[in-house]
Amino acid sequence: MAETVVLDPVDLHLLRLLQNDARTTYRDLAAQVGVAPSTCLDRVTRLRRAGVILGHQLRIDPAKLGRGLEALLSVQVRPHRRELVGPFVDRIRALPESRTVFHLTGPDDYLVHVAVADMADLQRLVLDGFTSRREVARVETRLIFQQWDCGPLLPPDTPSAQSG
């Protein structure tokens, strides 16, 4: 298990702000947090080095790219053995439709978030990209009607983002 990093209120405030808008300049961050820009830069650099901040992501609307139908695919792999996990995950991650892959406990081994053009494209993906594979025993499909982002991720027992 990863080692927990101790964060003070300034670190937590920086994390809240950056999770809301990762493009915020250090000058603006510093002004909002009440520290010097150089202190802000040092803090964010420390959070990156400690592995708290993993990177920056660009969010794209799949519908604007012609992938207006999103689904979650629950996948059961048999046999579920270590030597199959890496190659299976690599194959699924290489599919242009795949957005996120989770390795799970329980009756399903994987949950895959996909974005496709339409129902026919989803059917093609399930049949050609998943069930055609020898190790895939079962795929269950759930369509996503709508999704919402939640508040910033903070350590347990930290006041909510609304209070900061």
Side-chain angles (χ1 to χ4, degrees):
M1 188 165 176
E3 187 175 319
T4 302
V5 176
V6 177
L7 304 172
D8 67 16
V10 172
D11 294 330
L12 294 172
H13 197 175
L14 286 169
L15 290 174
R16 278 189 199 102
L17 294 169
L18 287 170
Q19 286 182 79
N20 288 331
D21 183 0
R23 296 181 310 159
T24 305
T25 66
Y26 289 116
R27 181 181 307 233
D28 290 343
L29 284 172
Q32 292 180 59
V33 174
V35 298
S38 60
T39 301
C40 182
L41 174 62
D42 290 344
R43 293 251 185 171
V44 172
T45 299
R46 183 180 56 79
L47 291 169
R48 281 195 181 103
R49 284 190 184 132
V52 175
I53 296 174
L54 299 176
H56 305 279
Q57 294 181 337
L58 178 67
R59 294 185 51 208
I60 294 175
D61 182 347
K64 302 284 187 196
L65 298 179
R67 296 181 183 274
L69 181 65
E70 294 185 72
L72 296 173
L73 307 179
S74 299
V75 183
Q76 190 177 73
V77 174
R78 292 294 175 259
H80 188 201
R81 293 194 315 244
R82 182 175 295 281
E83 61 269 15
L84 292 177
V85 170
F88 179 79
V89 170
D90 289 345
R91 168 71 179 120
I92 298 311
R93 290 183 69 207
L95 295 171
E97 298 88 354
S98 294
R99 307 279 320 253
T100 310
V101 180
F102 298 95
H103 191 194
L104 308 171
T105 63
D108 298 315
D109 301 311
Y110 298 93
L111 183 65
V112 185
H113 177 193
V114 299
V116 295
D118 52 29
M119 197 62 77
D121 196 25
L122 179 60
Q123 181 182 24
R124 177 207 49 80
L125 175 65
V126 169
L127 293 175
D128 297 342
F130 287 85
T131 60
S132 65
R133 298 189 54 83
R134 182 176 301 132
E135 70 272 21
V136 174
R138 184 178 60 81
V139 176
E140 211 173 278
T141 304
R142 291 175 179 84
L143 298 180
I144 298 173
F145 290 135
Q146 193 170 1
Q147 72 182 54
W148 295 267
D149 289 330
C150 298
L153 181 64
L154 299 171
D157 301 318
T158 301
S160 72
Q162 277 69 36
S163 67

